[in-house]
Amino acid sequence: MKQEEINELVHDYENLFYKVLRRCSVFPGRPGFEDALQELRLKFFLKADPYETRGLFEADNNIAYLFKYLLWSVIDEKRKKDPHDYEVQNEEVIGFEQVEAPYAEVELNELFDQFCEQLSPKEKEKARALLYDETISRQKRYRYRTYMKKHFGDFFKKA
């Protein structure tokens, strides 16, 4: 296809791009909307470029297929950008995290020791079996785990 023909095709499918972004909860006026729209245009352009004419492109790619193709490309991009995946840049915060980490670990270990001390001998035996005995059945392992989970939760509600 010629450049003008592809540009006209992209312009004609502009509403499709907006529908895809709306479905993915990327609305006009929000940060990243223009970038996402431009990425969709580029994906569409790359999809249409190998075809010789507009008719061949539209014959091979119906509107439903294009919608799903573009929708999943946006969803994949969103998955790659995890909002919880960020780096802390402040050196003071990094230093504080490094200092606090051992204290939190010590506190957790103390709570766990207190939990182990309040266990009866039978409960300690169940805990040892869960941790070290590989021969216990799956059913017993499940029952022991459920029992310990309940008691562990009750203990931390009191603490």
Side-chain angles (χ1 to χ4, degrees), residues 48-99:
D49 191 38
Y51 291 92
E52 292 179 21
T53 64
R54 179 180 182 148
L56 289 173
F57 172 75
E58 290 177 342
D60 281 351
N61 302 291
N62 66 10
I63 195 80
Y65 169 75
L66 288 171
F67 179 79
K68 289 177 185 175
Y69 172 77
L70 295 171
L71 178 74
W72 280 105
S73 69
V74 172
I75 290 172
D76 288 343
E77 280 300 313
K78 278 183 145 184
R79 285 182 182 160
K80 288 178 188 174
K81 298 175 186 171
D82 185 9
H84 303 292
D85 198 20
Y86 58 89
E87 281 188 36
V88 177
Q89 298 295 327
N90 191 342
E91 292 177 12
E92 293 176 10
V93 173
I94 293 171
F96 182 70
E97 287 176 348
Q98 291 171 348
V99 169

Side-chain angles (χ1 to χ4, degrees), residues 94-156:
I94 293 171
F96 182 70
E97 287 176 348
Q98 291 171 348
V99 169
E100 283 295 313
Y103 292 116
E105 192 174 315
V106 167
E107 189 175 309
L108 182 65
N109 286 339
E110 287 176 0
L111 279 173
F112 189 71
D113 287 341
Q114 289 173 4
F115 173 73
C116 290
E117 287 173 9
Q118 60 98 27
L119 290 175
S120 70
K122 257 190 175 179
E123 292 171 334
K124 286 181 183 179
E125 190 176 311
K126 287 180 182 180
R128 275 192 211 96
L130 271 175
L131 292 172
Y132 303 115
D133 190 6
E134 295 175 3
T135 60
I136 62 172
S137 67
R138 290 177 60 188
Q139 187 177 14
K140 258 189 187 177
R141 186 175 301 278
Y142 172 76
R143 277 190 272 138
Y144 287 177
R145 224 184 278 133
T146 308
Y147 180 83
M148 287 296 168
K149 193 184 300 183
K150 180 185 178 303
H151 281 54
F152 204 66
D154 292 343
F155 174 78
F156 278 101

